[in-house]
Amino acid sequence: MLRSLDDLIGFNVSTADGALGILEDVYYDDRHWTVRYLVVGAIEGLETARLISPYAVERVSDEARQIHLSVSLARVKEATDVAEKMPASLAAETEYHDYFGWPYYWQGPYVWGMLAVPAVTGPAPVAGPLLVPDPEEETAGLEDAQVSHHLHSAADTIGYHIQALDGEIGHVEDFLLDDGSWSLTRVLIDTRNWWVGKKVALPSGEFSRIDWTERLIFVGETREQVKSKREFDVATLPREN
C-alpha cells in the first residue's frame, strides 16, 4: 500500500513482546530509492536510536499508529549500535544483518538482493546470513566506508530543492512509500516557489542524480512538464486498520 512517509514518522514501534519506541526517521538507498532501515528512538534503557530493517516488519496499523515487528525487545537492545556509526561500513552492516539473520540487500539483482520485497521465508535463524555475500558484486573497487554513503536520512532530504531541465521548480516535502517493497516510489514536491500552491508527486525513477553538497535533486523533465502533472493530495491515500 502506498503511504506518506511524513505521516508514518511518529508511529509507535512494537516488538514481538513489547513496545520498542517511536519511528524517528528512515535511511534510504539513493541507488534504488528504497528504505533500508527504520530509525527507532526513545527506547527505554538505551541512549541512542536503533536501526531496524524492513525485514523485521510484520505489519503497519494506521488506526493504532503502530508498526509491528517480528523481533524481540531483548534482541534489539542487545544488537550492535549501528545507528551511532552512520554512515556505517559495509562490514558493520554485514555484522548487523548476520546478528538478526537478515539477507543482504546489496547482494543480488533485485531491490532486496535476491528478492523483490523484504520477506524472510521460513523461520528466521537466530544468527548468521541467509545469503553468502559476493564481495565483487556491486562493490568492486569501493571501500566499505564508501559503499555505505549510498544510505541517507529521509528527514535530512526534506527541503532539498528540485532542479528541472530548465530551472528550479520547488522542494521536497514528502516521500510516498510502498510498504510492501519499502521503496520510495514517488517524491512529493511543493512547487509554491514557482506557481501558487500546487503539489505534485513525481516517480523517483525520473530523478537523475542528487547533489548532496548543494542540496539539489535533478529531474529529467522541464518545468512545463512538471506543471502539467495533476495535483496530489496525501489525504486521498488509503489507510489500513
Side-chain angles (χ1 to χ4, degrees), residues 166-189:
D166 53 353
E168 185 183 324
I169 56 170
H171 65 269
V172 177
E173 180 169 283
D174 196 0
F175 295 97
L176 300 184
L177 167 75
D178 179 336
D179 64 9
S181 65
W182 286 85
S183 295
L184 301 175
T185 61
R186 293 178 179 269
V187 180
L188 186 63
I189 300 172

Side-chain angles (χ1 to χ4, degrees), residues 6-236:
D6 182 61
D7 181 63
L8 195 64
I9 298 300
F11 271 38
N12 294 308
V13 181
S14 64
T15 63
D17 56 353
L20 179 61
I22 304 297
L23 181 66
E24 295 182 343
D25 193 4
V26 300
Y27 278 103
Y28 69 97
D29 182 340
D30 68 354
R31 296 165 298 182
H32 302 288
W33 290 91
T34 298
V35 172
R36 300 304 186 188
Y37 298 105
L38 284 65
V39 183
V40 184
I43 301 174
E44 184 178 354
L46 298 179
E47 295 181 357
T48 59
R50 282 291 189 266
L51 300 186
I52 299 294
S53 169
Y55 277 115
V57 176
E58 284 191 331
R59 64 186 178 89
V60 179
S61 171
D62 288 299
E63 185 176 1
R65 291 186 62 81
Q66 188 118 343
I67 299 172
H68 302 269
L69 306 180
S70 58
V71 294
S72 71
L73 183 61
R75 192 87 181 129
V76 174
K77 287 188 172 184
E78 292 168 3
T80 304
D81 187 8
V82 179
E84 189 177 29
K85 303 174 183 177
M86 293 300 288
S89 68
L90 184 60
E93 283 195 83
T94 300
E95 180 183 355
Y96 200 55
H97 278 65
D98 287 355
Y99 172 83
F100 284 103
W102 295 330
Y104 303 135
Y105 67 81
W106 56 87
Q107 188 260 322
Y110 304 108
V111 173
W112 286 94
M114 299 302 293
L115 301 168
V117 296
V120 179
T121 57
V126 173
L130 297 182
L131 299 173
V132 178
D134 180 357
E136 301 297 326
E137 187 172 355
E138 292 192 1
T139 60
L142 295 176
E143 298 295 329
D144 283 350
Q146 290 177 298
V147 172
S148 66
H149 282 285
H150 286 291
L151 295 176
H152 297 275
S153 158
D156 288 348
T157 311
I158 300 298
Y160 272 36
H161 287 215
I162 305 298
Q163 187 74 19
L165 295 173
D166 53 353
E168 185 183 324
I169 56 170
H171 65 269
V172 177
E173 180 169 283
D174 196 0
F175 295 97
L176 300 184
L177 167 75
D178 179 336
D179 64 9
S181 65
W182 286 85
S183 295
L184 301 175
T185 61
R186 293 178 179 269
V187 180
L188 186 63
I189 300 172
D190 187 336
T191 62
R192 62 188 171 189
N193 53 345
W194 184 39
W195 71 88
V196 180
K198 188 172 183 179
K199 296 177 183 178
V200 297
L202 296 183
S204 54
E206 293 185 8
F207 294 92
S208 56
R209 68 184 180 93
I210 303 176
D211 186 324
W212 301 105
T213 303
E214 299 296 328
R215 296 176 61 85
L216 286 173
I217 303 181
F218 294 80
V219 64
E221 294 191 359
T222 65
R223 286 178 168 184
E224 281 302 320
Q225 286 175 312
V226 176
K227 186 177 180 179
S228 67
K229 308 288 185 185
R230 188 168 65 179
E231 187 169 5
F232 186 87
D233 184 358
V234 295
T236 63

